[in-house]
Amino acid sequence: MSQRNKYRFLFAGGGTGGHVFPAIAVAEKIKMLKPESEILFIGTKNKIESEVVPKAGFKFKSIWIKGFARKFNIRNLLFPLKLAVSLCQSIFINLRFKPAVAVGSGGYVSGPAIWGASFLGAKIILLEQNSYPGITTRMLEKKADEIHISFEESKKYLRAKDKIFVSGNPVRADFQLIDKTEANKMFNLNNDKRTVLVLGGSLGAGNINSVIKDCLPALIKENIQIIWQTGKDYYETYKNLSSGDVVVRSFIDDMKAAFSVCTIAISRAGATTIAEITNMGIPTIFVPSPNVAANHQYYNAKALADARAAILLKDDEIKNNLLDAVLNLIFNDLELATLRENVKNFAKPDSAYVIAKRVIALAEMN
């Protein structure tokens, strides 16, 4: 009788790219280190993970869970039922897959999936991307064998200090700058012009989009071109603004190319975006979302701004200040060079490797 493969790893996380892409980065590194590994992702079927995980070549199972809205919503009444069903689904999936280690990367979906894995005896690793740990991380920390965080700041919010490792936020191994000329061809842009990359997250950012629309004439007048990710919720509103100097996309699939083209970025301050920007060395104006738990995006960005590694504008400041901030930065080569150098000090390019080695080590302890 053949022995069951001890390198069986379950990953659970989703809802946004910030919870999914770090998990994929670790999973890919595990596959590189242990090609015989068996890996399964658990997520929800209508969120980003249901698309990007299979594209990355990993098996995917969905459960019914959905987040609990912070404001009153009639759908919150279904939350207890969805949670109960998701717990049952998670136990069933874990019973069949029998992971040695389960990795939770955040989002509501990781709660029942990781609880089910722990209940059945798997070792547990949690990945926390933000400076203020999410509710799922805080609820699961007692069950975790290790918690890998991205910001030193996160330690004060967690009780299990002996389990905490400041490993950084994993970025996929192939996430490197490419040739700028080739990247510009992919967007049909002019290689000699300076370029602003606008990122509001996978769903979009209403206020950033509105202000960018108002800034377009002035930016184009200054011979600046724009790559604008509106988010899927806003694409229909702004797609007609595409032109020779303005590329409007609902979502940018090839972020390597987008970062390779841009002179500066305007971005929300989610932890995964920050990890990508610090690894790439992109001068960035961060506009943190005000609609997140404990204002964690502001503190994510403030850590960089305090070190002169980025520019920070609050969401309610951009209507009056964003255009001037862009024009003052994009033609200032000395300041661009300073930001590029300083922001790289926050990069942890080996994060995925470090965490993957820990996942494998826990599996070998079983």
Side-chain angles (χ1 to χ4, degrees), residues 85-151:
V85 171
S86 296
L87 287 169
C88 293
Q89 290 174 313
S90 297
I91 290 174
F92 179 73
I93 292 170
N94 276 285
L95 272 171
R96 295 195 65 182
F97 186 63
K98 293 181 173 61
V101 182
V103 181
S105 59
Y108 281 94
V109 70
S110 67
I114 297 302
W115 180 88
S118 175
F119 180 75
L120 294 171
K123 300 286 187 180
I124 303 298
I125 284 183
L126 301 180
L127 310 183
E128 179 51 59
Q129 300 87 14
N130 290 301
S131 57
Y132 181 75
I135 187 170
T136 309
T137 297
R138 285 178 280 131
M139 290 178 67
L140 291 171
E141 69 168 308
K142 286 184 179 179
K143 297 188 178 298
D145 294 276
E146 296 183 5
I147 304 170
H148 292 262
I149 61 176
S150 301
F151 293 88

Side-chain angles (χ1 to χ4, degrees), residues 155-213:
K155 284 183 177 179
K156 66 184 180 184
Y157 301 110
L158 297 169
R159 297 175 183 175
K161 309 298 184 190
D162 58 324
K163 301 178 181 179
I164 297 173
F165 299 80
V166 185
S167 303
N169 198 6
V171 175
R172 298 177 70 174
D174 64 348
F175 204 81
Q176 304 291 331
L177 293 176
I178 64 173
D179 180 73
K180 181 182 176 183
T181 301
E182 291 303 311
N184 268 305
K185 287 179 182 178
M186 294 169 67
F187 292 100
N188 294 315
L189 291 174
N190 188 325
N191 202 49
D192 297 322
K193 290 186 178 182
R194 303 202 176 202
T195 304
V196 176
L197 172 63
V198 181
L199 303 171
S202 56
L203 299 178
N207 195 36
I208 291 178
N209 284 334
S210 176
V211 173
I212 290 297
K213 177 189 175 184

Side-chain angles (χ1 to χ4, degrees), residues 194-198 208 211-212 215-216 218-220 222-226 263-267 283-287 311 313 318 320-333 335-336 339:
R194 303 202 176 202
T195 304
V196 176
L197 172 63
V198 181
I208 291 178
V211 173
I212 290 297
C215 292
L216 282 183
L219 294 174
I220 294 170
E222 294 293 333
N223 213 28
I224 296 168
Q225 52 197 7
I226 300 96
T263 312
I264 68 170
I266 299 166
S267 177
T284 302
I285 299 170
F286 285 113
V287 184
I311 293 171
L313 289 178
I318 61 173
N320 295 324
N321 298 322
L322 183 61
L323 179 60
D324 285 343
V326 170
L327 295 179
N328 289 336
L329 175 60
I330 199 166
F331 296 112
N332 186 337
D333 290 335
E335 183 66 11
L336 289 172
L339 292 181

